[in-house]
Amino acid sequence: MDSKRKHSPGVLPQQRVIEVGSSDASSYCARLFADFGADVQKIEPPGGDRIRRTAPLTHKGQSAWFAFLNFNKSSTILDPADAGTIARLTALIEDCDVLIDGRDVDSANCPPIDIAAIRARHCGLTHVEASWFGCGGPYAGFAATDSTIRPRAGLIKLVGPAEGPPSHAPDFQTGILAGLWGSIAAASSVIARMRGEQGRRWSLSIFESSLALSEYFIFEASAHGKVVRGIGINRFWPVFPTGIYETKKGWLGVTTFTPARWRAFCDMLRLSELGDNPDLLLGKDRLQDIEQIEQQFVPRLKKRRAQQWFTEGRK
């Protein structure tokens, strides 16, 4: 992997991060550190990370997903069959500030390392260990995939057509979400260490990270007996509009969680009368008139390119 370091030093330029194992959650967690200026070194086996072969592939046969998850990092190939590899990896970890560990998902032929012994010698090390279900609990040790985690967490029930089975996207959504949570935890440890505290160890559960998006539905069902059902493709309860819409050229992501965002969206499209309608101020109210509202703003979006709308929206 070629290193494509940013010119901007970011806010974590002094942090050295080592990434081991193969997990989209740990890869994205490390990617976020790299985005903020940290020196992130990815350890790969001689054949390369498995995600390098994950579709979609570019015209050069390179994985677009791998490029996204590993932007701004450098890569080091370590062969466990070589003499001295364990000592070399141990030295790299002892010299870093943060270890982001995806071996529990896929070891990626990583040579064995004694993390407990390393942390005993390097008390400032922050260790983030990603796994499907965490280190404890009834599911600990269970095998899983992104495709099984998402439905178990209740994340696909509302995705797809209103009638028929839900849709499943072939991507790494659970890993992206878990990587975000892992980076927040690890960053908090970095701040704590700057204040004189020791490094911390975090068990990152991909499953529990995904529950953060569906727990609202659990509370709704428990408190009010509501069974939320799918409302159609590109429509996501409990807010509308929230989705990806076609423009004259390209697609535009729209999110209108607050009344202010809804009004601003309508003003941008020259539909102020829609934004000023008190009966449509809240997302739950707009959900009752989805078809009528879409008939007004969807044709407007197709009059300009996505980049033009993006520029206009920033104003």
Side-chain angles (χ1 to χ4, degrees):
M1 170 173 48
D2 292 331
S3 175
K4 297 181 179 179
R5 302 298 301 159
K6 289 183 176 180
H7 295 295
S8 172
V11 296
L12 298 171
Q14 305 302 318
Q15 297 301 306
R16 293 161 297 180
V17 179
I18 296 292
E19 176 193 341
V20 296
S22 180
S23 156
D24 37 286
S26 53
S27 286
Y28 188 63
C29 178
R31 150 85 197 247
L32 291 174
F33 267 86
D35 286 348
F36 283 100
D39 179 8
V40 179
Q41 191 171 0
K42 183 181 183 72
I43 306 301
E44 296 189 69
D49 190 314
R50 62 179 175 82
I51 302 178
R52 284 184 179 271
R53 297 173 287 280
T54 300
L57 304 178
T58 68
H59 67 283
K60 295 182 178 180
Q62 298 173 338
S63 169
W65 264 117
F66 181 86
F68 171 77
L69 291 171
N70 295 285
F71 185 72
N72 268 343
K73 302 177 187 176
S74 60
S75 177
T76 296
I77 303 297
L78 290 184
D79 188 344
D82 292 343
T85 294
I86 295 177
R88 183 183 176 192
L89 180 56
T90 299
L92 286 172
I93 296 174
E94 289 184 342
D95 193 45
C96 79
D97 302 290
V98 180
L99 173 63
I100 300 178
D101 190 345
R103 292 176 300 155
D104 194 67
V105 175
D106 187 330
S107 68
N109 207 20
C110 182
I113 43 180
D114 189 341
I115 297 296
I118 292 174
R119 296 191 75 233
R121 295 189 296 269
H122 181 10
C123 62
L125 178 67
T126 293
H127 180 207
V128 180
E129 186 178 18
S131 61
W132 290 116
F133 296 105
C135 297
Y139 297 146
F142 277 28
T145 66
D146 188 84
S147 298
T148 59
I149 288 290
R150 231 184 298 191
R152 184 174 289 275
L155 293 183
I156 69 169
K157 179 178 183 292
L158 307 179
V159 180
E163 303 295 335
S167 300
H168 175 73
D171 54 30
F172 295 147
Q173 288 186 15
T174 61
I176 297 299
L177 187 62
L180 173 62
W181 286 118
S183 70
I184 293 172
S188 73
S189 297
V190 170
I191 295 172
R193 194 173 66 247
M194 291 176 178
R195 297 175 178 175
E197 297 185 22
Q198 293 187 346
R200 299 171 180 170
R201 177 181 176 273
W202 297 95
S203 174
L204 176 61
S205 167
I206 299 172
F207 172 61
E208 291 183 16
S209 300
S210 298
L211 285 176
L213 289 184
S214 60
E215 62 182 359
Y216 179 84
F217 305 119
I218 299 172
F219 295 142
E220 280 285 301
S222 176
H224 306 294
K226 286 186 178 180
V227 178
V228 181
R229 304 190 184 280
I231 54 178
I233 294 174
N234 205 34
R235 298 169 180 173
F236 304 96
W237 194 93
V239 177
F240 173 81
T242 297
I244 309 297
Y245 293 92
E246 188 176 6
T247 68
K248 185 177 181 180
K249 181 180 180 182
W251 295 74
L252 186 73
V254 176
T255 304
T256 58
F257 276 106
T258 66
R261 290 183 184 179
W262 165 244
R263 287 197 184 100
F265 176 64
C266 292
D267 290 344
M268 181 182 75
L269 295 172
R270 306 296 188 267
L271 291 172
S272 298
E273 69 282 358
L274 201 62
D276 292 336
N277 187 337
D279 295 331
L280 301 176
L281 188 60
L282 301 179
K284 66 180 182 65
D285 299 324
R286 297 192 293 275
L287 285 170
Q288 309 306 314
D289 294 292
I290 288 178
E291 299 291 345
Q292 293 81 356
I293 295 173
E294 279 191 344
Q295 287 174 9
Q296 294 189 62
F297 77 77
V298 168
R300 295 286 182 100
L301 286 174
K302 292 182 179 180
K303 292 183 177 181
R304 304 179 73 178
R305 299 190 303 273
Q307 185 60 49
Q308 291 176 307
W309 285 126
F310 178 75
T311 301
E312 185 70 19
R314 293 187 66 185
K315 296 178 183 179

